[in-house]
């Protein structure tokens, strides 16, 4: 028995079952029986009133299967050109989508609010070129149970417009194969009430201690006051 392809508007949806009904206005507003939406492991139900294409296995409205929505004057693509693949996730075009341009080889993912990735194993991202992470507001890198490592072949830099704070529950260690350089208007080291202050302007060194000050070395070359 030959199949028949018809076009109608979605009139009822069962979101839990992934099915809907279609009304054919060109056939006296006849309504189909329940039609299974296209699956292929993907859930995306049409909207009430959207035009869909349906394939029937007979001339009646029974045993129909949905072929999906169609582009028309009321459902136009957000953009279109040769080599473009674009998938809309949101109800409105441009709200959430991914796109791939075969002409440039660029893949883009856009979400208007938040992206959440949850993985029970590992997440591994690799770039043969440069990689950039830019945030307009706060950016946080945190390991809940282990450590965080930043490694580079040549150099690593941390720049801040105002403050940089280093805190550790136990030890902070600075190691270098060459020189360790600390520069600023004033350098202050404070431990348990004792302070060592170096003033860049005067070059003076001030040592304060709530108890006593001891200088220990095999040979003390010179102390000037």
């Amino acid at each position: 028995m030959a199949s028949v392809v018809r076009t109608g508007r979605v009139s009822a949806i069962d979101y839990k079952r992934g099915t809907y009904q279609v009304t054919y206005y060109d056939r006296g507003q006849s309504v189909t029986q329940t039609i299974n939406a296209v699956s292929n492991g993907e859930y995306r139900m049409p909207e009430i009133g959207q035009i869909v294409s349906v394939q029937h296995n007979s001339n009646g409205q029974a045993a129909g299967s949905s072929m999906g929505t169609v582009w028309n004057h009321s459902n136009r693509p957000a953009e279109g050109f040769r080599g473009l693949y674009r998938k809309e996730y949101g109800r409105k075009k441009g709200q959430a989508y991914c796109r791939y341009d075969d002409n440039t080889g660029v893949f883009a993912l856009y979400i208007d609010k938040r992206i959440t990735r949850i993985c029970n194993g590992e997440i591994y991202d690799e770039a043969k070129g440069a990689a950039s992470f830019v945030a307009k507001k706060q950016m946080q890198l945190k390991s809940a149970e282990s450590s965080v490592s930043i490694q580079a072949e040549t150099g690593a830099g941390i720049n801040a417009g105002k403050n940089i704070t280093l805190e550790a529950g136990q030890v902070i260690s600075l190691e270098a194969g060459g020189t360790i350089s600390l520069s600023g208007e004033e350098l202050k080291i404070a431990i348990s009430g004792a302070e060592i202050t170096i003033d860049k302007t005067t070059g003076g060194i001030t040592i304060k201690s709530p108890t006593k000050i001891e200088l220990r070395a095999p040979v003390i070359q010179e102390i000037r006051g």
Side-chain angles (χ1 to χ4, degrees):
M1 187 175 294
S3 62
V4 177
V5 177
R6 296 194 179 99
T7 301
R9 292 185 181 273
V10 177
S11 54
I13 300 176
D14 187 332
Y15 291 99
K16 291 185 178 180
R17 294 180 180 273
T19 61
Y20 53 82
Q21 290 179 297
V22 178
T23 299
Y24 296 126
Y25 288 90
D26 60 342
R27 298 180 65 85
Q29 296 190 14
S30 61
V31 181
T32 66
Q33 296 181 10
T34 299
I35 293 175
N36 296 323
V38 175
S39 172
N40 294 326
E42 180 178 304
Y43 181 88
R44 179 175 173 84
M45 300 299 290
E47 299 287 330
I48 296 291
Q50 262 194 318
I51 297 177
V52 294
S53 182
V54 180
Q55 179 175 332
H56 290 280
N57 296 332
S58 66
N59 290 332
Q61 279 74 48
S65 59
S66 170
M67 299 170 63
T69 59
V70 297
W71 297 118
N72 52 61
H73 66 280
S74 61
N75 183 32
R76 298 183 182 275
E79 57 178 334
F81 53 83
R82 184 178 180 181
L84 173 69
Y85 171 82
R86 173 166 172 154
K87 179 170 180 57
E88 300 285 343
Y89 296 100
R91 297 179 63 182
K92 297 180 180 179
K93 296 181 182 68
Q95 186 178 29
Y97 65 90
C98 66
R99 71 188 298 276
Y100 175 72
D101 186 345
D102 191 49
N103 304 292
T104 61
V106 175
F107 174 82
L109 175 64
Y110 174 83
I111 306 295
D112 63 343
K113 290 187 178 180
R114 177 174 178 173
I115 296 177
T116 300
R117 295 196 300 171
I118 300 175
C119 176
N120 290 328
E122 297 181 358
I123 295 177
Y124 180 80
D125 295 323
E126 180 178 352
K128 299 297 183 183
S132 299
F133 296 92
V134 180
K136 189 174 182 180
K137 296 184 178 180
Q138 182 181 6
M139 180 180 292
Q140 184 179 40
L141 182 64
K142 178 181 179 181
S143 176
E145 297 182 357
S146 187
S147 60
V148 175
S149 176
I150 299 176
Q151 300 179 8
E153 183 67 24
T154 55
I158 300 176
N159 298 316
K162 293 185 178 180
N163 303 318
I164 295 177
T165 302
L166 299 177
E167 296 182 5
Q170 294 183 1
V171 178
I172 294 179
S173 176
L174 299 176
E175 297 182 7
T179 303
I180 295 179
S181 176
L182 301 175
S183 61
E185 293 299 322
E186 184 181 75
L187 176 62
K188 179 180 290 187
I189 302 173
I191 302 174
S192 301
E195 289 186 3
I196 300 176
T197 305
I198 303 175
D199 192 313
K200 179 180 178 181
T201 304
T202 63
I205 300 175
T206 303
I207 302 175
K208 296 180 180 179
S209 174
T211 56
K212 61 181 179 179
I213 298 174
E214 294 185 8
L215 299 177
R216 296 184 180 182
V219 177
I220 298 178
Q221 296 292 341
E222 184 176 9
I223 298 178
R224 292 184 179 181

